[in-house]
Amino acid sequence: MIEQKQQLEDAVNEALAIAKQLGVDQAEVALGKTSGISVNTRLGEVENIEFNHDGAMGISVYVNHCKGSASTADLSADAIKSSVKAAVDIAKYTSNDPYAGLLETDSLEDDPLDLDLYHPSSHSTTELLDIAKQCEDIALSSDERIVNSDGAGFNSHSSLKVYGNSHGFLHSYASSHHSLSCMLIGQDKDDMQRDYSYSSARDINDMFTPQWVAEQAVKRTVERLGAAKIKTQESPVIFAPEVASGLFGHLVGAISGSSIYKKSTFLLDRLDTQVFPEWMQISEKPHLHKGIASSPYDQEGGKTFKRNIIEDGVLQTYLLTGYAARKLNMPSTGHAGGIHNWFVKNSGLDLAGLLKEMGTGLFVTELMGQGVNMVTGDYSRGASGFWIENGVIAYPVHEITIAGNLKEMFMGIEAVASDIDPRSSLKTGSILINKMKIAGE
């Protein structure tokens, strides 16, 4: 992968040179190459082995604030030239947009950090299959209630990203990502349930062991057996880390630049106002070594900064690309392409302490459906998990719906536990919300 670095940077330079020859005002080129392997086993047999080697060059040009884009997977000189010409031709037919263009030069990263994101696997196909088989074998032999498997899989991929533009920016960085997963089926009498577990990391040596993944998959699956429905009511709700990260993901969407300038968010005009309880802190750390969402610069070449997103419950920033920043007459924030390692400050309680804090209520471990209105904040999703009584798990529950409004849910967060899920780019523990509507029987 690293050996390709100069070749890919040369291709980007060539595309930019052709764009300059054609007289465009501004041009940018993004080129990515990904290669890797995915293996899957089921019941001790190999289900599939898939190798992939993908890549494409994306070219955007700006002529009098009219944008044209084209792409090519062929990096020959003729193909690059044809693609740049195609982008220029397309720009002739697009509408003038005064906000279109490259990120301003003072916002570009001029000295990208090496964040130690590239750790390719040296494992052979046979070794990866053995890891998947080992994980599944441990799971299937751990509990007699595990009666079947949807398989185990190992994915190992590496990528190289190059970005250049006509402001003179040209940088690249390599990264890797590895994951192991196992999905099981459990049965107790007539009740059957399915659940899974996984591990992922930049460096294969930082992953949880196959035994850990197997044991977690077994635990999650058998704990679901015997699930019951509950009565329709209003009660406190705890979101487990896996689903709590998705809840804060709605915050990401609500404060993204496109949502703000389109006026399509429940957090419109809420900058510098309180949207969480006063004790809430959410920080962003883009430059963590080996971080799942670390990045030396964003997809426009913009600088990425350590910053507070929420401080003392107050919204500190929107998430702005260069385009959104110009539309809103604000500085760009380095978020073209998404967020970079968010951390939600916990309240000092472990999960057991959080359950005791709630006393009686619902502990949600899985959410279904997409019932979230980002304009109004109305929230309604299918859920399953556990009913809690006197601070301990009483029994599993399923086939329920939880509902509320994100504005009230955010302000109603009473505590965040310390049981952070390290596999997520948005790191949070379980969260306790004071009340939500639960639709059951």
Side-chain angles (χ1 to χ4, degrees):
M1 184 65 66
I2 295 295
E3 293 75 13
Q4 292 184 307
K5 181 176 183 290
Q6 190 60 55
Q7 176 189 354
L8 299 187
E9 289 183 354
D10 289 345
V12 169
N13 257 331
E14 184 174 355
L16 291 171
I18 294 170
K20 183 177 181 179
Q21 292 170 8
L22 295 175
V24 303
D25 301 325
Q26 296 181 340
E28 59 183 342
V29 181
L31 176 54
K33 286 283 187 180
T34 300
S35 61
I37 181 174
S38 299
V39 301
N40 290 88
T41 65
R42 182 173 179 272
L43 301 178
E45 300 294 330
V46 177
E47 278 223 311
N48 71 280
I49 301 172
E50 181 179 329
F51 296 92
N52 72 290
H53 189 77
D54 304 318
M57 172 186 283
I59 303 156
S60 292
V61 300
Y62 302 88
V63 182
N64 296 323
H65 293 287
C66 298
K67 181 180 179 180
S69 298
S71 63
T72 177
D74 182 353
L75 299 185
S76 67
D78 288 344
I80 292 174
K81 187 173 184 178
S82 296
S83 297
V84 176
K85 286 183 175 179
V88 174
D89 289 341
I90 291 169
K92 296 175 183 178
Y93 297 97
T94 59
S95 300
N96 177 285
D97 184 344
Y99 305 106
L102 302 179
L103 193 64
E104 288 70 21
T105 53
D106 58 356
S107 294
L108 292 171
E109 178 57 73
D110 53 8
D111 188 20
L113 296 171
D114 178 0
L115 301 179
D116 195 24
L117 305 180
Y118 184 58
H119 296 271
S121 169
S122 59
H123 287 60
S124 67
T125 302
T126 300
E127 289 171 330
L128 295 182
L129 285 168
D130 286 344
I131 293 172
K133 286 180 180 179
Q134 178 190 1
C135 181
E136 190 182 28
D137 287 345
I138 293 171
L140 289 170
S141 61
S142 294
D143 193 300
E144 61 183 11
R145 290 168 292 180
I146 300 299
V147 298
N148 207 338
S149 167
D150 269 348
F154 201 111
N155 298 302
S156 179
H157 291 83
S158 297
S159 64
L160 179 63
K161 297 180 180 179
V162 185
Y163 176 79
N165 64 35
S166 53
H167 285 333
F169 183 98
L170 178 61
H171 290 288
S172 63
Y173 67 93
S175 63
S176 56
H177 187 264
H178 314 282
S179 66
L180 171 65
S181 63
C182 182
M183 179 172 284
L184 305 172
I185 299 171
Q187 183 173 5
D188 186 11
K189 298 178 182 177
D190 294 331
D191 184 26
M192 297 185 71
Q193 298 286 346
R194 175 189 282 109
D195 215 320
Y196 75 101
S197 185
Y198 75 98
S199 176
S200 64
R202 295 284 190 187
D203 186 338
I204 200 168
N205 297 311
D206 294 333
M207 294 174 63
F208 293 130
T209 65
Q211 181 167 347
W212 184 94
V213 174
E215 290 175 349
Q216 286 296 307
V218 171
K219 179 177 183 292
R220 290 170 61 92
T221 303
V222 299
E223 284 181 344
R224 295 171 66 105
L225 293 169
K229 297 181 182 179
I230 55 176
K231 298 291 185 182
T232 296
Q233 59 190 285
E234 188 173 84
S235 86
V237 173
I238 289 176
F239 284 70
E242 298 91 340
V243 289
S245 61
L247 188 66
F248 287 113
H250 299 312
L251 170 65
V252 175
I255 63 174
S256 294
S258 60
S259 297
I260 302 298
Y261 69 70
K262 292 176 182 176
K263 302 184 185 300
S264 59
T265 170
F266 65 94
L267 291 181
L268 186 66
D269 299 325
R270 295 300 304 275
L271 191 64
D272 298 322
T273 68
Q274 187 174 357
V275 295
F276 286 93
E278 290 184 1
W279 54 267
M280 178 64 77
Q281 309 282 336
I282 301 177
S283 59
E284 182 173 51
K285 301 177 182 179
H287 300 152
L288 292 179
H289 280 219
K290 295 186 179 181
I292 290 292
S294 293
S295 181
Y297 49 84
D298 74 359
Q299 289 186 357
E300 296 178 309
K303 297 175 183 177
T304 52
F305 299 96
K306 180 180 178 180
R307 69 175 79 223
N308 286 335
I309 306 299
I310 301 293
E311 186 174 346
D312 299 328
V314 175
L315 178 62
Q316 302 294 309
T317 182
Y318 293 140
L319 311 178
L320 306 180
T321 63
Y323 181 84
R326 287 187 288 271
K327 291 274 284 189
L328 296 168
N329 193 28
M330 300 175 73
S332 61
T333 62
H335 286 99
I339 64 170
H340 315 288
N341 302 317
W342 278 21
F343 290 80
V344 180
K345 185 179 179 181
N346 69 70
S347 308
L349 296 169
D350 59 12
L351 177 57
L354 193 68
L355 294 176
K356 289 179 181 177
E357 179 86 5
M358 178 171 70
T360 298
L362 178 65
F363 179 31
V364 175
T365 58
E366 183 181 20
L367 291 168
M368 291 81 77
Q370 304 296 325
V372 182
N373 186 325
M374 293 299 292
V375 178
T376 64
D378 289 339
Y379 184 98
S380 177
R381 299 189 66 184
S384 63
F386 301 92
W387 187 250
I388 308 301
E389 292 181 357
N390 299 318
V392 296
I393 293 175
Y395 52 86
V397 297
H398 65 170
E399 297 181 12
I400 56 176
T401 300
I402 57 173
N405 184 279
L406 287 168
K407 287 181 284 189
E408 297 170 359
M409 291 164 64
F410 287 166
M411 286 298 298
I413 295 177
E414 294 189 342
V416 179
S418 58
D419 56 334
I420 295 170
D421 182 358
R423 302 166 297 183
S424 174
S425 62
L426 202 162
K427 291 178 170 53
T428 176
S430 298
I431 65 169
L432 168 60
I433 296 177
N434 57 4
K435 63 179 178 179
M436 291 186 71
K437 295 176 182 176
I438 304 171
E441 291 184 317

